[in-house]
Amino acid sequence: MAKNYEDPNRDIRSHSDPSQSGWDEPIDRYNYVEDVYSDSKSYRSRKGQPHYTQPDPKPPKGKKKMKGWKKALIWIGSILAAILIALLVLVGLLFGRLNVQKVDTDQYVETVDEVAHIDLMDSGSVMNVLVIGADSNQDGTEGRSDTMMLISLNAKTNSMKIVSFLRDLYVQIPGQGKDRLNAAYSYGGAGMLMQTIENNFRIPVDKYLETNFDGFEGIIDAMGGIDVTMTAAEAQFINDWKNVGAVEGENHLNGKNALYFARMRKLDSDFGRTTRQRQVVSAMFKKLKSSNPLTMYKVAFDLMPNLKTNLSYVELIRFGLAFSKMSDAETLSVPSDGTYYDYTTPEGAMVLVPYLEQNIQLLRGFLYE
């Protein structure tokens, strides 16, 4: 039975003074019922106080420990970020040494009557880069191109092919009439030489790398030398120049000897000379691909100041990545046997006149099939 009582000493405050109240609901001091029977957690029976609901106190939240795999991911991410930053710095230093020079080939577009009916070959999967080894005149002006090699990378077949153009090819040069192919460089630099090849042989040549091959001596030394195969005549010829102990078969050459081997001409002809140049370039590529990353970077770092190019930095990176996937290079010489005839110009120069249509078919079959 509920008790109805009044205690004058009991401190029951009016609801009108909320600042002094310990709860929110008002108290009926005359009809107060004390619940002495309930064991519910929601009700606390405290003598002299009304019943009310109070939630269970929750334990204080502790700091959660990070799981091991999360820590590992953070560490791996930090390491990868540091490596990426380091690579970007190294690439920046590398390209900072490169001489990028754009060329205008459109001004040299010219129709060659013999092949006017043949459209320019094009393929998005093939990148053709003309490598020019140029001689400089004593006054510092551009001389004739000593070496003209087309390096062609095929992304579909992951193959690299090298085409040597003989410098005695007698072709039409924009604005100059007929002359040796290597004279185009002295007339108009890399741009005119590129367009002369495109006009006559109907293959796209939009990119170039120009170098002084004298700079290759130190680069080959940085690689630790290269291996080339010599005939008995070639071994004898190089030993007559400087007794390097060359023998018929495979020989290991340092930079100076490799450069001499690549430029030997009096031994036979320009055909033999361009074959040796392709050998040296192929051997360099092969050695570079088998080198460790530090050696590759050092070679590239030493090579950059000796280069001029119109390749963008992105294209150079693509070129390098494509090259790293390539198999051993196939090689071709233009003109090939049976695709030219000898001719002596009115000035008395002995040149090679190519049958252009035959050489165009040969090039397209070699580069694009």
Side-chain angles (χ1 to χ4, degrees):
M1 179 177 177
K3 294 186 290 183
N4 188 2
Y5 63 91
E6 209 176 329
D7 187 350
N9 296 321
R10 188 169 182 173
D11 186 14
I12 301 178
R13 295 177 177 83
S14 171
H15 184 61
S16 62
D17 186 8
S19 63
Q20 301 297 320
S21 176
W23 50 84
D24 294 329
E25 294 182 359
I27 301 171
D28 186 345
R29 59 183 296 181
Y30 298 104
N31 295 295
Y32 178 81
V33 178
E34 184 177 13
D35 185 355
V36 296
Y37 304 104
S38 175
D39 292 329
S40 171
K41 291 183 180 180
S42 299
Y43 294 89
R44 307 292 181 183
S45 177
R46 295 191 294 177
K47 188 174 181 179
Q49 296 183 10
H51 62 85
Y52 62 96
T53 301
Q54 178 178 335
D56 285 341
K58 294 182 179 179
K61 293 183 178 180
K63 194 172 182 180
K64 291 184 178 180
K65 291 185 178 181
M66 187 178 291
K67 294 183 179 180
W69 63 269
K70 288 185 178 180
K71 287 184 178 180
L73 283 178
I74 292 173
W75 276 105
I76 292 171
S78 301
I79 292 169
L80 289 177
I83 291 173
L84 179 61
I85 292 170
L87 286 174
L88 290 174
V89 170
L90 291 175
V91 169
L93 291 172
L94 192 66
F95 288 147
R97 295 167 62 82
L98 182 65
N99 184 4
V100 177
Q101 289 190 5
K102 302 297 182 182
V103 293
D104 178 15
T105 57
D106 291 342
Q107 61 180 314
Y108 302 122
V109 174
E110 189 173 281
T111 300
V112 178
D113 293 338
E114 186 181 343
V115 294
H117 60 287
I118 301 176
D119 292 332
L120 184 69
M121 183 66 184
D122 195 12
S123 173
S125 62
V126 176
M127 176 190 288
N128 293 327
V129 181
L130 183 65
V131 177
I132 306 168
D135 291 326
S136 297
N137 295 322
Q138 291 183 350
D139 60 1
T141 60
E142 292 173 337
R144 297 197 171 197
S145 50
D146 184 57
T147 302
M148 296 162 289
M149 282 189 294
L150 190 73
I151 296 180
S152 183
L153 301 177
N154 191 318
K156 282 186 177 179
T157 61
N158 280 341
S159 61
M160 180 173 72
K161 298 180 179 180
I162 302 175
V163 179
S164 293
F165 290 91
L166 272 66
R167 58 185 186 177
D168 289 337
L169 279 165
Y170 198 58
V171 295
Q172 184 171 314
I173 296 177
Q176 304 296 327
K178 292 273 189 145
D179 205 337
R180 282 191 172 103
L181 178 60
N182 69 337
Y185 181 82
S186 61
Y187 290 134
M192 182 178 282
L193 177 58
M194 293 160 64
Q195 194 59 48
T196 297
I197 292 174
E198 191 168 299
N199 292 343
N200 286 273
F201 297 100
R202 311 308 291 148
I203 57 171
V205 186
D206 298 319
K207 303 299 177 182
Y208 80 97
L209 281 167
E210 183 182 326
T211 182
N212 181 340
F213 272 101
D214 290 337
F216 275 54
E217 182 177 328
I219 293 166
I220 292 173
D221 286 336
M223 292 180 182
I226 57 174
D227 297 320
V228 298
T229 301
M230 297 186 191
T231 64
E234 288 170 340
Q236 184 61 50
F237 192 89
I238 197 170
N239 284 331
D240 289 342
W241 163 70
K242 179 183 177 183
N243 190 6
V244 297
V247 297
E248 182 179 4
E250 188 173 278
N251 292 268
H252 187 77
L253 302 179
N254 62 19
K256 186 174 183 179
N257 296 338
L259 190 62
Y260 183 83
F261 174 77
R263 307 187 85 163
M264 293 190 309
R265 188 183 185 192
K266 292 181 180 179
L267 170 64
D268 36 38
S269 66
D270 203 31
F271 285 97
R273 181 173 176 273
T274 54
T275 298
R276 288 185 285 274
Q277 289 174 349
R278 293 194 303 272
Q279 270 187 272
V280 168
V281 171
S282 295
M284 289 176 67
F285 281 143
K286 186 176 181 180
K287 185 65 176 285
L288 191 58
K289 285 179 68 174
S290 64
S291 300
N292 61 61
L294 186 61
T295 299
M296 292 176 72
Y297 183 82
K298 186 179 186 309
V299 169
F301 192 81
D302 292 340
L303 177 61
M304 286 300 179
N306 296 303
L307 292 180
K308 283 196 296 186
T309 186
N310 66 339
L311 286 163
S312 68
Y313 296 150
V314 173
E315 287 170 331
L316 276 169
I317 292 172
R318 285 178 54 202
F319 185 88
L321 291 174
F323 160 72
S324 67
K325 300 176 183 178
M326 299 298 158
S327 56
D328 291 342
E330 299 177 58
T331 63
L332 176 73
S333 177
V334 174
S336 294
D337 291 341
T339 65
Y340 70 96
Y341 62 90
D342 295 315
Y343 176 69
T344 302
T345 68
E347 294 76 23
M350 296 182 67
V351 295
L352 307 172
V353 181
Y355 299 117
L356 290 178
E357 285 199 50
Q358 290 184 30
N359 282 279
I360 288 170
Q361 292 175 3
L362 192 67
L363 275 169
R364 291 188 174 189
F366 180 69
L367 296 176
Y368 298 98
E369 294 179 4

